[in-house]
Amino acid sequence: MPAHVTNVTDPLDRERAHLASSRAALRAMRADAESLDIKDVTANWVNAVILQRQIEERITALADLAHTPLFFGRLDYLHAPGAEQAEGAEGEQFYIGRRHVHDAVGDPMVIDWRAPVSQPFYRASKKEPMDVRLRRRFGYTGGELTAYEDEDLTDAAAGDRASRLLQSEIERPRVGPMRDIVATIQPEQDEIVRAGIGGTVCVQGAPGTGKTAVGLHRVAYLLYAHRERLARTGTLVIGPNRSFLHYIEQVLPALGELNVAQATVDDLVAHVEVRGTDSAAAARLKGDARMAEVLRRAVRAGVTMPVEPVIVARGSRRWRVPAYEIEEMVRELLARDIRYGAAREALPQRIAHAVLVRMEEAGEAPDDRVQDAVARNAAVKAAVKTIWPAVDPAKLVLRLLSDAEFLAEHADGVLEEDEQREVLWARPARGVKSAAWSAADAVLVDEAMDLVARTPSLGHVVLDEAQDLSPMQYRAVGRRCTTGSATILGDLAQGTTPWATASWEQALAHLGKPDAAVEELTQGFRVPREVIAYASRLLPAIAPGLAEATSVREAAGDFAVREVAAGELDAAVVAACREALGREGSIGLIAADDRIAVLGGLLVAAGLPYLAPGEESSAEARLTLVPASLAKGLEYDYVVLDEPAAVVAGEPDERTGLRRLYVALTRAVSGLTVLHAEPLPERLAASDTP
């Protein structure tokens, strides 16, 4: 125990004293950062601005959040980690928290959860104690330390006993945005979090297994372990929609990481204004990986072989490069299959080099400056413009989708004739100048842009809800991490798009990471036991062969399925919401998209204020009205599910509808009430339904 609290005898009081001392030390660290004077240490104003921004970020990261525990655990080692220990000497003691805190002389008071010395907090067991004598967990109420629980790892005969504080933390009500899970990370989760940066990891996780939290904590860990590298190359978290990103946006800042960008796939490919929509068939085809070959052909379609020589005038002399020689250059560049734009930039240099060879043969001694000048010569530039014309990716895709002959020329042998007709834009209505770009079209433009010029690569990308991406969207994400690594998160059973991936092997191949390790999480920490068992009845129909999740939660959860008369459904839904509001925590009313407007009017009439997905709940508004299409990735303490049959019917086919229903059923943390007037889907209508 640190010297400044040894005079306190009660164990809980000692821990509270250490917490108070640690908070004081954190305030001192922040005060030191605020007092830094940089006016005499920077060479110029640019360095001053950069350094000042770094200081401001440091100050923000050192904020003491009153309701966020500064540390949540303690490790008492048998020996000093990484050092020889004299016989009979006591091992060291470390407090594990969200960030590192040190005292005035630099001694650690709290160790960052990502540090190697903290790893046994998540991995140690009585079977493998990892040199830990005692693991202590702390319980908090409103930011105040109120309890602790010890686990003696030296007594292997006693067996592992479930932690009551750990169970309590897992089952604590959810209010507001998603929170971090640093206090409850399980061994199988920690293995994924601490996996090396060199490889890509794909996490198949059933609902409630914490895959999203694992992905976010993995980013935080990698930033800790490889900060300089990722500061140069960047990190990115990709989510399915803005509501989801808003829901998770506070997790990384709570862990002290402020510079991780967040985006949707649509954000990544926002090169054109999206105002149109595709039919499911057209969107599926435009997302098909075969479109990459069609685009590759179309991009190169403008390259033509020269028919005339290039004559370069320099001073009184003329230098001639024959057409056949330039054709050899063009064919060699095409065979190398490099980016269109890079090849176009290389061609004038190749022609200029041929001119320099002729100069040297004539006894001249040209240098690189002469070659650059020849490459910029008007005759060379004119020849390159004709042979290898510039390509505007958006205009190219526009032509491909609106010109049947152009599409047929480049889709020959790739797309069938009926498929070509499906992807072509319909003729604009009278008075409309042109058809509108769709989300799938924007992905095609992004592909074309990469064919012309390489997309910059980031150091690490996290892709959540990955099962819903099309092959072309996977390619778009993969372009952002060609030289970096990725963490792919998803659940095949929750794929609700017409182009949802059939297997992770296919998805990873499209992403460009075929060698990624696939890890499966099946232990559920969020969804109550009875709820996940009920939802899992759908698995044989929506994801045959996928392992069923098992809940580690001791509480079964409040769960009820109620059939009501057709004319009483609306009133029953309002009553169920009112009942749920009498409990602690957040409430989600999930319904088919076309029921949202009706239910919103009913809630207003009943005097029940509600939020839209992504809006932060408060004491005055804890009820969120959630369209089924936006429920994925969100969680609520209590869920009221309106008319499952309508959720299924809202999708283009039954399998997709059942997957959408599976998502809706698994959003509950503490309780689920299913209300229906229409018959339930067959697999949910068993006689043992509550």
Side-chain angles (χ1 to χ4, degrees), residues 562-569 642-645 675-680:
R562 301 172 187 165
E563 183 175 7
V564 299
E568 299 174 4
L569 180 61
D642 169 83
E643 198 59 270
L675 296 168
H676 69 101
E678 298 181 35
L680 289 169

Side-chain angles (χ1 to χ4, degrees), residues 390-449:
V391 168
D392 182 311
K395 289 181 179 179
L396 178 85
V397 175
L398 175 61
R399 184 182 177 192
L400 201 62
L401 298 177
S402 58
D403 185 334
E405 291 184 3
F406 187 69
L407 175 62
E409 178 185 354
H410 302 298
D412 182 40
V414 180
L415 299 179
E416 300 294 335
E417 290 185 8
D418 59 334
E419 292 178 323
Q420 295 175 29
R421 287 192 294 270
E422 190 67 55
V423 301
L424 279 170
W425 281 359
R427 290 186 178 276
R430 181 171 296 179
V432 178
K433 292 183 178 180
S434 65
W437 295 101
S438 69
D441 296 337
V443 180
L444 298 181
V445 174
D446 190 72
E447 179 85 21
M449 291 182 69

Side-chain angles (χ1 to χ4, degrees), residues 73-77 92-96 116-122 124 132-136 138 153:
R74 197 185 88 190
L75 290 176
D76 293 3
Y77 276 88
E92 293 191 59
Q93 186 179 92
F94 298 96
Y95 286 82
I96 313 302
V117 75
S118 301
Q119 183 174 327
F121 184 78
Y122 304 106
V132 173
R133 180 182 66 81
L134 179 140
R135 173 167 50 206
R136 174 169 289 181
F138 297 104
L153 298 181

Side-chain angles (χ1 to χ4, degrees), residues 381-625:
K381 291 169 67 176
V384 170
K385 184 177 181 180
T386 300
I387 298 167
W388 209 294
V391 168
D392 182 311
K395 289 181 179 179
L396 178 85
V397 175
L398 175 61
R399 184 182 177 192
L400 201 62
L401 298 177
S402 58
D403 185 334
E405 291 184 3
F406 187 69
L407 175 62
E409 178 185 354
H410 302 298
D412 182 40
V414 180
L415 299 179
E416 300 294 335
E417 290 185 8
D418 59 334
E419 292 178 323
Q420 295 175 29
R421 287 192 294 270
E422 190 67 55
V423 301
L424 279 170
W425 281 359
R427 290 186 178 276
R430 181 171 296 179
V432 178
K433 292 183 178 180
S434 65
W437 295 101
S438 69
D441 296 337
V443 180
L444 298 181
V445 174
D446 190 72
E447 179 85 21
M449 291 182 69
D450 186 71
L451 288 166
V452 174
R454 183 181 298 276
T455 303
S457 176
L458 297 164
H460 193 78
V461 169
V462 173
L463 173 62
D464 207 347
E465 301 296 349
Q467 73 280 344
D468 277 336
L469 269 60
S470 70
M472 292 300 287
Q473 287 176 316
Y474 281 121
R475 291 174 62 88
V477 173
R479 286 192 281 278
R480 272 74 186 178
C481 54
T482 50
T483 59
S485 55
T487 301
I488 311 304
L489 312 167
D491 179 11
L492 297 178
Q494 296 185 59
T496 51
T497 57
W499 47 82
T501 189
S503 72
W504 290 122
E505 289 73 20
Q506 291 180 15
L508 293 167
H510 294 312
L511 193 75
K513 305 289 184 182
D515 298 327
V518 179
E519 306 287 347
E520 189 169 7
L521 296 177
T522 58
Q523 277 199 321
F525 305 97
R526 173 174 56 78
V527 186
R529 186 171 62 251
E530 288 188 7
V531 174
I532 194 63
Y534 183 69
S536 293
R537 295 179 184 181
L538 297 173
L539 284 178
I542 62 177
L546 204 61
E548 181 178 332
T550 57
S551 178
V552 301
R553 300 179 61 148
E554 295 182 358
D558 296 326
F559 176 48
V561 180
R562 301 172 187 165
E563 183 175 7
V564 299
E568 299 174 4
L569 180 61
D570 291 349
V573 169
V574 172
C577 290
R578 197 182 298 278
E579 179 185 349
L581 285 166
R583 301 163 174 164
E584 181 185 3
S586 56
I587 297 93
L589 170 55
I590 304 178
D593 289 29
D594 59 6
R595 282 273 289 165
I596 294 300
V598 171
L599 293 175
L602 292 171
L603 294 176
V604 170
L608 300 179
Y610 66 89
L611 306 164
E615 293 182 335
E616 189 167 346
S617 59
S618 63
E620 295 75 26
R622 293 186 291 121
L623 172 63
T624 302
L625 180 56

Side-chain angles (χ1 to χ4, degrees), residues 124-454:
S125 65
K126 290 185 178 179
K127 186 177 180 180
E128 294 288 342
M130 301 176 71
D131 202 43
V132 173
R133 180 182 66 81
L134 179 140
R135 173 167 50 206
R136 174 169 289 181
R137 299 182 189 274
F138 297 104
Y140 289 81
T141 302
E144 295 297 321
L145 200 163
T146 55
Y148 70 88
E149 182 180 58
D150 287 343
E151 184 180 4
D152 184 354
L153 298 181
T154 63
D155 186 6
D160 289 311
R161 178 173 56 88
S163 166
R164 301 299 302 178
L165 286 178
L166 177 61
Q167 193 71 30
S168 176
E169 175 64 19
I170 289 173
E171 298 188 8
R172 182 159 58 94
R174 266 70 166 164
V175 178
M178 183 180 181
R179 61 175 185 257
D180 66 69
I181 62 165
V182 288
T184 62
I185 294 174
Q186 298 300 291
E188 65 273 19
Q189 295 174 322
D190 191 65
E191 289 181 11
I192 298 171
V193 167
R194 296 177 193 264
I197 194 174
T200 288
V201 178
C202 176
V203 182
Q204 158 63 41
T209 54
K211 56 184 175 295
T212 296
V214 165
L216 294 174
H217 287 68
R218 176 158 164 72
V219 171
Y221 171 76
L222 293 176
L223 285 167
Y224 175 88
H226 307 279
R227 189 165 301 279
E228 289 188 8
R229 173 176 171 178
L230 291 178
R232 294 192 307 270
T233 56
T235 53
L236 174 66
V237 174
I238 303 173
N241 51 59
R242 280 283 147 199
S243 296
F244 178 85
L245 291 178
H246 182 72
Y247 176 65
I248 68 169
E249 66 184 357
Q250 294 304 316
V251 174
L252 288 168
L255 298 174
E257 300 300 341
L258 307 175
N259 294 319
V260 179
Q262 296 184 354
T264 65
V265 174
D266 289 344
D267 294 332
L268 299 183
V269 300
H271 313 299
V272 292
E273 183 182 1
V274 174
R275 294 184 292 108
T277 56
D278 286 313
S279 66
R284 186 186 295 109
L285 281 169
K286 290 178 181 179
D288 194 303
R290 291 176 294 166
M291 289 300 298
E293 173 60 20
V294 176
L295 286 166
R296 190 190 72 84
R297 293 180 182 182
V299 165
R300 291 166 165 255
V303 178
T304 58
M305 295 303 160
V307 294
E308 296 180 352
V310 173
I311 300 175
V312 177
R314 283 191 60 80
S316 60
R317 303 199 65 172
R318 301 287 187 271
W319 305 98
R320 183 178 182 275
V321 182
Y324 76 86
E325 190 171 340
I326 300 174
E327 180 177 342
E328 290 176 358
M329 300 174 192
V330 172
R331 292 192 182 282
E332 191 269 336
L333 288 171
L334 287 172
R336 289 181 59 191
D337 202 27
I338 60 177
R339 294 297 193 286
Y340 185 91
R344 188 173 188 272
E345 292 176 358
L347 182 56
Q349 289 291 337
R350 299 289 179 90
I351 296 172
H353 178 71
V355 171
L356 259 67
V357 169
R358 285 162 171 74
M359 289 181 174
E360 291 171 348
E361 290 173 347
E364 297 189 16
D367 55 20
D368 290 344
R369 290 174 297 177
V370 174
Q371 178 167 327
D372 289 339
V374 172
R376 296 192 299 270
N377 181 272
V380 174
K381 291 169 67 176
V384 170
K385 184 177 181 180
T386 300
I387 298 167
W388 209 294
V391 168
D392 182 311
K395 289 181 179 179
L396 178 85
V397 175
L398 175 61
R399 184 182 177 192
L400 201 62
L401 298 177
S402 58
D403 185 334
E405 291 184 3
F406 187 69
L407 175 62
E409 178 185 354
H410 302 298
D412 182 40
V414 180
L415 299 179
E416 300 294 335
E417 290 185 8
D418 59 334
E419 292 178 323
Q420 295 175 29
R421 287 192 294 270
E422 190 67 55
V423 301
L424 279 170
W425 281 359
R427 290 186 178 276
R430 181 171 296 179
V432 178
K433 292 183 178 180
S434 65
W437 295 101
S438 69
D441 296 337
V443 180
L444 298 181
V445 174
D446 190 72
E447 179 85 21
M449 291 182 69
D450 186 71
L451 288 166
V452 174
R454 183 181 298 276

